Amino acid sequence: LIRMRDVRKVYPHPAGDVVALDGVTLEIGHGDFIAIMGPSGSGKSTLLNLIGCLDLPTSGEVSIEGRNVRDLSDDELTELRRDCIGFVFQTFNLLPLLNVVENVEFPCILKEGSRGCEERFLPVLKAIGIERDLFSHRPSELSGGQQQRVAIARALVNDPRLILCDEPTGNLDTKAGSQVMELLMDLNRRGRTVVVVTHDPRIAAYAKRKIEMMDGRIV
Amino acid sequence: LIRMRDVRKVYPHPAGDVVALDGVTLEIGHGDFIAIMGPSGSGKSTLLNLIGCLDLPTSGEVSIEGRNVRDLSDDELTELRRDCIGFVFQTFNLLPLLNVVENVEFPCILKEGSRGCEERFLPVLKAIGIERDLFSHRPSELSGGQQQRVAIARALVNDPRLILCDEPTGNLDTKAGSQVMELLMDLNRRGRTVVVVTHDPRIAAYAKRKIEMMDGRIV
Ligand SMILES: Nc1ncnc2c1ncn2[C@@H]1O[C@H](COP(=O)(O)OP(=O)(O)OP(=O)(O)O)[C@@H](O)[C@H]1O
Ligand SMILES: Nc1ncnc2c1ncn2[C@@H]1O[C@H](COP(=O)(O)OP(=O)(O)OP(=O)(O)O)[C@@H](O)[C@H]1O
Ligand SMILES: [Mg+2]
Ligand SMILES: [Mg+2]
């Protein structure tokens, strides 16, 4: 599904360029369930952004289903991210002026207009444990863990083939965290490919395969 | 140091008022080291905000060093928060247009103007593991765990007597997380009062006392 060859990612910066990824080669197959671990600053979020086609490498190749990401047009990239990839950001990135329902159904509306989105957001919010009485709350009117779960629900609403989660349980208690991982395992059993960045070995234990990062490399 | 009697906090909301705290009574003594745990949405951040005088209860009393928070003038409250309380927010709340150094020295500059702040931010950034080469980065140019540690450094720069941390290790690997907790333990040994909200039992284990919350109450 995803192939990376000798990928480097450098962030130019006045204080000194940062080599966030320093020659990464990896393959993610259909139906994989991968955990990416490593110290703070080791390049995990950067790697996930490249897998999710949110950014391009400085050098090296990223291919999704055999096609080099560099060769895709802007329209093709947009369509790919909207229809095939669900991304949960480390800092959630919810839209502050929209409420829970509007945030979660947003990718669905982008994909199909507003018909049929109601049946899509209800089951996903239920599965993630967000109650009806919170539906009209805006992100600033939610707890940290509730915001995190709404971000996860939003990533899942279009039933994407590739699910990418950056620290999806950092603000959740053990019970809510297991609920999220059970949901991801269930989606994986039904054929979805899942990649989770996590600092928590107990969360990584749900995955079939682990990748360890250190200083921008896979070790 | 802090005394709360029968504290209720209700957030009015068109969808239905939310009783975030439902009759909380507790005391925090000088030199305490307390961990607050509980499910997502149980009221932990709300409780911490009241302890830190960032908000007032709907009913009930919050006193800090014998003085009811309601009786303090705006100036007295501002001075209290700036000089005596260090607060680490669950979502960091760093100032996006300021770099690491400017963010961390901000409370110091508020307190004493810009003299002497250099000697204050250097040791605290060193203790928390943020290297010099990141000093001129803005929050958006940092990893999630680096942002979290900069938020912690900012809370500690004025050497506050009361240190309040809302999920301070959620984005940190085990090693960086222990480094933060060792720092808090050291500050506690030297007389500072520490309250940490956490979902992680291994982080709570550093505290001398644990408080469990459920549905806005202490259980
Ligand atoms: N401004 C607000 N308006 C309405 N409801 C709110 C507001 N802020 C918080 N709440 C609600 O109050 C309850 C308690 O929130 P709080 O942030 O204290 O929980 P928490 O224990 O810190 O949760 P978490 O572990 O997820 O961070 C939640 O159900 C939340 O939805
Ligand atoms: N826009 C940017 N400009 C400069 N440096 C950056 C930028 N974004 C990230 N970095 C740096 O790149 C490195 C890798 O960042 P990344 O966010 O991938 O780390 P991470 O492994 O996800 O860390 P964490 O576990 O703390 O979230 C970090 O040292 C960070 O400071
Ligand atoms: Mg990250
Ligand atoms: Mg909270």
Side-chain angles (χ1 to χ4, degrees):
Chain A
L1 179 53
I2 300 277
R3 197 176 64 194
M4 293 174 107
R5 289 277 153 83
D6 248 336
V7 164
R8 286 186 100 247
K9 180 67 184 177
V10 181
Y11 293 116
H13 196 274
D17 290 356
V18 179
V19 182
L21 294 178
D22 193 14
V24 168
T25 294
L26 68 82
E27 283 187 24
I28 298 173
H30 286 277
D32 258 350
F33 192 154
I34 297 174
I36 300 176
M37 302 189 77
S40 174
S42 56
K44 305 178 296 298
S45 295
T46 303
L47 179 60
L48 207 69
N49 288 346
L50 292 184
I51 293 170
C53 306
L54 294 175
D55 198 0
L56 289 173
T58 306
S59 68
E61 170 204 324
V62 180
S63 305
I64 180 154
E65 299 202 300
R67 305 187 63 197
N68 192 323
V69 178
R70 276 190 210 290
D71 301 335
L72 300 175
S73 69
D74 276 352
D75 282 351
E76 287 175 301
L77 271 172
T78 301
E79 198 174 312
L80 183 68
R81 286 181 211 132
R82 190 194 61 198
D83 299 352
C84 307
I85 301 173
F87 205 106
V88 185
F89 296 91
Q90 191 168 4
T91 50
F92 319 152
N93 297 359
L94 294 174
L95 299 171
L97 299 178
L98 301 189
N99 65 30
V100 167
V101 165
E102 291 161 340
N103 261 289
V104 174
E105 66 181 1
F106 196 78
C108 182
I109 291 183
L110 283 180
K111 183 175 180 180
E112 345 203 327
S114 42
R115 272 189 241 150
C117 285
E118 177 123 2
E119 302 99 57
R120 303 276 284 279
F121 74 74
L122 275 178
V124 81
L125 282 168
K126 186 156 184 283
I128 209 104
I130 293 292
E131 313 265 325
R132 225 173 234 286
D133 58 4
L134 290 177
F135 282 12
S136 62
H137 284 226
R138 288 181 182 182
S140 61
E141 299 167 332
L142 295 173
S143 77
Q146 289 164 349
Q147 291 175 34
Q148 187 153 42
R149 282 179 283 165
V150 170
I152 295 167
R154 178 181 63 176
L156 301 180
V157 75
N158 280 347
D159 192 19
R161 279 185 305 192
L162 178 61
I163 301 167
L164 307 174
C165 309
D166 202 343
E167 310 271 0
T169 62
N171 285 285
L172 300 179
D173 53 278
T174 317
K175 184 155 170 286
S178 319
Q179 191 171 356
V180 168
M181 297 314 291
E182 295 289 338
L183 176 58
L184 293 176
M185 262 180 55
D186 180 62
L187 289 163
N188 181 244
R189 269 185 231 115
R190 294 195 274 118
R192 313 305 184 272
T193 307
V194 180
V195 183
V196 174
V197 168
T198 183
H199 284 301
D200 191 338
R202 299 167 300 183
I203 296 299
Y206 285 86
K208 295 175 190 160
R209 176 158 70 110
K210 293 189 193 70
I211 289 175
E212 240 351 279
M213 290 192 70
M214 171 83 92
D215 297 328
R217 297 202 190 100
I218 294 180
V219 293
Chain B
L1 179 55
I2 300 277
R3 196 174 67 193
M4 295 176 105
R5 289 279 153 82
D6 246 338
V7 163
R8 286 187 100 246
K9 180 66 185 178
V10 181
Y11 294 115
H13 196 274
D17 292 357
V18 179
V19 183
L21 294 178
D22 194 14
V24 168
T25 294
L26 68 82
E27 284 186 25
I28 297 173
H30 285 277
D32 258 351
F33 191 154
I34 298 175
I36 300 176
M37 303 189 77
S40 174
S42 56
K44 305 179 297 298
S45 296
T46 302
L47 178 61
L48 207 70
N49 289 345
L50 292 184
I51 293 170
C53 306
L54 294 174
D55 200 359
L56 289 174
T58 306
S59 69
E61 170 204 326
V62 179
S63 305
I64 181 155
E65 301 202 300
R67 305 186 63 197
N68 192 323
V69 179
R70 279 191 207 289
D71 301 336
L72 301 176
S73 68
D74 276 351
D75 281 351
E76 288 176 300
L77 271 173
T78 301
E79 197 174 312
L80 182 69
R81 287 181 211 132
R82 190 194 62 198
D83 298 351
C84 308
I85 300 173
F87 205 106
V88 184
F89 296 91
Q90 191 168 3
T91 48
F92 320 151
N93 296 0
L94 295 173
L95 299 172
L97 298 178
L98 302 189
N99 65 29
V100 167
V101 166
E102 292 162 341
N103 261 289
V104 174
E105 67 181 2
F106 197 76
C108 182
I109 291 184
L110 283 181
K111 183 175 180 179
E112 346 202 326
S114 43
R115 271 188 243 148
C117 285
E118 175 122 5
E119 302 98 61
R120 303 276 284 279
F121 73 75
L122 274 178
V124 83
L125 282 168
K126 186 157 183 284
I128 209 102
I130 292 292
E131 312 266 322
R132 226 174 234 286
D133 57 5
L134 291 177
F135 281 12
S136 62
H137 284 226
R138 288 179 182 181
S140 60
E141 299 167 332
L142 296 172
S143 77
Q146 290 164 347
Q147 292 175 32
Q148 186 153 42
R149 283 179 281 165
V150 171
I152 295 167
R154 177 181 64 175
L156 301 179
V157 76
N158 280 347
D159 193 18
R161 280 187 304 199
L162 177 61
I163 301 167
L164 307 175
C165 308
D166 201 343
E167 310 272 0
T169 61
N171 287 285
L172 300 179
D173 53 278
T174 317
K175 186 156 169 288
S178 320
Q179 192 172 354
V180 167
M181 297 314 291
E182 295 288 339
L183 175 59
L184 293 176
M185 262 180 55
D186 181 62
L187 289 163
N188 181 243
R189 268 184 231 116
R190 295 195 272 118
R192 312 307 184 274
T193 307
V194 180
V195 183
V196 172
V197 167
T198 183
H199 284 301
D200 192 336
R202 299 167 300 183
I203 296 297
Y206 285 86
K208 294 176 190 160
R209 174 157 72 109
K210 293 189 194 67
I211 289 174
E212 253 327 295
M213 290 192 70
M214 171 84 94
D215 298 330
R217 297 201 190 101
I218 294 181
V219 294

